[in-house]
Amino acid sequence: MSEVTARVVMYGRPGCHLCEVAAETIARVCADLGEEWAEISIDDDPALREEYGEEIPVTLVDGRRHDFWRVDEGRLRAALARRA
């Protein structure tokens, strides 16, 4: 897998309702704050499926695990206010 440079990374899978809701929140927050984010499907990588399969969506901020299942907008904004 290639290196992801976005500050926010969401691991999920197509057709996952929680992933869709989380992506909407992440997109809104990142757009407001001028941050990049990336969405990666765990279905494309067996190791990611093994690691995150039951906890998607999983959100990382600055390479560290931030949330799973749901994204709290206020908590994400606070995390992004801190520089890496």
Side-chain angles (χ1 to χ4, degrees):
M1 184 169 80
S2 62
E3 184 176 333
V4 178
T5 59
R7 285 195 69 198
V8 180
V9 176
M10 186 192 88
Y11 292 100
R13 69 170 24 116
C16 165
H17 175 69
L18 288 177
C19 299
E20 292 168 2
V21 172
E24 289 173 8
T25 301
I26 294 166
R28 180 176 54 252
V29 170
C30 286
D32 286 352
L33 300 177
E35 297 289 352
E36 290 185 45
W37 75 284
E39 184 174 357
I40 298 172
S41 172
I42 66 169
D43 289 341
D44 297 336
D45 184 325
L48 292 176
R49 237 185 352 266
E50 176 71 24
E51 185 172 357
Y52 298 124
E54 299 301 318
E55 296 181 343
I56 60 168
V58 175
T59 308
L60 280 64
V61 174
D62 296 326
R64 291 182 300 276
R65 189 177 207 155
H66 178 73
D67 272 323
F68 65 96
W69 292 332
R70 305 226 188 276
V71 175
D72 179 276
E73 185 169 335
R75 190 164 129 57
L76 179 58
R77 286 180 184 278
L80 289 172
R82 295 185 293 271
R83 293 312 301 169

